[in-house]
Amino acid sequence: MPEVMTVEQAREAVFATLPEPVVERVALLDALGRVLAENARSDIDVAPFDNSAMDGFAVRAEDLVGASPESPVELDVIAHIAAGDAPEMEVGPRQAARIMTGAPVPAGVDSVVMVERTRVVSGDGGVGSRVAFELEPRLGEHIRLRGEEVRAGDVVMEAGEVVGPAGVGLLASTGHAEVAVYRRPRVAVISTGSELVEVDVTPGPGKIRNSNSYSIAAQVLAAGAEPVRYAIVPDDLEATRTAFRKAAEDCDFIVTSGGVSVGDFDYVKPVLEELGELTFCKVAMRPGNPQTLGTIGGVPFFGLPGNPTSTYVGFEIFVRPSLRKMQGFDALDRPVTRATLAHDVKKKQGRRYYLRGRVDRTGEGYTASLPYSQSSALLTAAHRGNCLVVLPQGEGFFPAGTPVDCIRLDMEEGTP
Ligand code: AMP
Ligand code: MG
């Protein structure tokens, strides 16, 4: 391993530590937003029977040849079929059945005429009535056929597909009260730092609130995984050991914040080396160059820097795609919008920058701007912005008008 990794090398190294996605069976609704782990087949034909797509009359199209508003054709109504009925009659020539949407189409008919194109001549429109038809239906019109969606035994959804709300409906109609999906990883969220106090405490002298624990847990949730927030770990060797050991026993992935720099009380790296393996601890990026990867007892460990923005960006670039990979998602990267810089930007040459900015549609194309402070201690830019403006390694000055990539934090992976 090089001492300082590029972002790409670092991401490859993180992906290489990940276990295979684990399959679990869950109640159908819990599958929403997750990746199906096995092909799902239908137990029945859907639709299960030919049924009417309209409220109207089921007819034989040949009876209505030539029917129009000027020369309507009259038929006798011999049945009245509601959704849920199981009609056994057969409709004969010059006869019709009054039928509701979703009701089974009886034997003998081949088309449905919507009620709006008919007129009751005598009776109430139900059985025993005579009805005039003002149009000639196409053969099969307004009839939804048995098996139109899927046939019994056929695959209705394939392993690897993401279950959206429509997919939940499809799985419901095909008999899946439970489905096999990939498990949400349990992610340990550990904040280190003797300066930290809980969120409900007003910080005393020299203290700050443990905001990273919440922002990281929120990012874990947003990535579809399950956060397990640990108590604050002070900058102390033994406390760090105890917390890391416990996390490696309880969780599938460990994320820490702080304690990975070269400070005198930064214990994350030494404890990681002692309990497991340290893979790298520097990535040529800004914010957040001390991004740290390792494993403890085979459990992937990612040490994010403590500065809230470095934490946030590091999670986006390394941890979020990892958690998605562990859940079987193919799409690991957010969409990127190519935009034109609205103003000059200067940077240090050696690192890739991820600036918290905005991308907006302007006329034909897109404009990238950085209207907020870029201090890595401040989160407002990440909150107000909608993208990470990427400035490549190796260059130092980007005049207004330079085309840049903007990673869309406001769009899901896989969005075209
Ligand atoms: P460190 O990486 O531990 O040197 O921390 C870098 C900076 O991030 C320091 O100013 C810390 O006070 C701040 N910081 C560390 N952990 C947290 C946290 N959990 N929440 C908010 N800020 C933090
Ligand atoms: Mg610290």
Side-chain angles (χ1 to χ4, degrees), residues 191-192 195-196 208-212 257-259 261 266 305-308:
S191 289
T192 72
E195 73 277 35
L196 303 176
I208 60 166
R209 289 195 170 110
N210 178 17
S211 61
N212 286 350
S257 105
S261 302
D266 287 341
N307 271 315

Side-chain angles (χ1 to χ4, degrees), residues 45-92:
D45 290 347
V46 178
F49 45 85
D50 293 354
N51 67 96
S52 179
M54 291 283 167
D55 296 326
F57 292 89
V59 297
R60 298 165 179 253
E62 63 183 27
D63 285 344
L64 300 183
V65 171
S68 69
E70 297 72 39
S71 63
V73 174
E74 294 183 9
L75 302 177
D76 292 317
V77 179
I78 59 122
H80 194 165
I81 308 166
D85 286 352
E88 283 170 8
M89 82 290 293
E90 175 154 359
V91 180

Side-chain angles (χ1 to χ4, degrees), residues 1 10 12-19 244-245 247-249 251-256 268-281 292-303 322 326:
M1 288 283 162
E12 281 311 308
V14 184
F15 293 161
T17 67
L18 302 178
F244 287 8
R245 272 204 197 100
E249 277 169 21
C251 293
D252 307 307
F253 196 105
I254 303 168
V255 183
T256 64
V268 171
K269 279 183 278 182
V271 173
L272 180 57
E273 281 184 302
E274 178 193 318
L275 300 182
E277 277 174 40
L278 171 74
T279 311
F280 65 73
C281 58
T292 299
L293 174 71
T295 53
I296 299 179
V299 176
F301 178 106
F302 204 91
S322 301
M326 288 172 78

Side-chain angles (χ1 to χ4, degrees), residues 274-339:
E274 178 193 318
L275 300 182
E277 277 174 40
L278 171 74
T279 311
F280 65 73
C281 58
K282 267 201 179 59
V283 180
M285 63 186 278
R286 185 174 172 148
N289 120 312
Q291 310 280 349
T292 299
L293 174 71
T295 53
I296 299 179
V299 176
F301 178 106
F302 204 91
L304 297 163
N307 271 315
T309 292
S310 311
T311 312
Y312 185 80
V313 172
F315 189 103
E316 259 299 322
I317 302 297
F318 302 108
V319 183
R320 182 176 164 101
S322 301
L323 298 182
R324 285 181 63 86
K325 204 162 191 304
M326 288 172 78
Q327 295 170 87
F329 287 99
D330 280 338
L332 301 182
D333 293 316
R334 303 259 201 193
V336 170
T337 299
R338 193 83 172 150

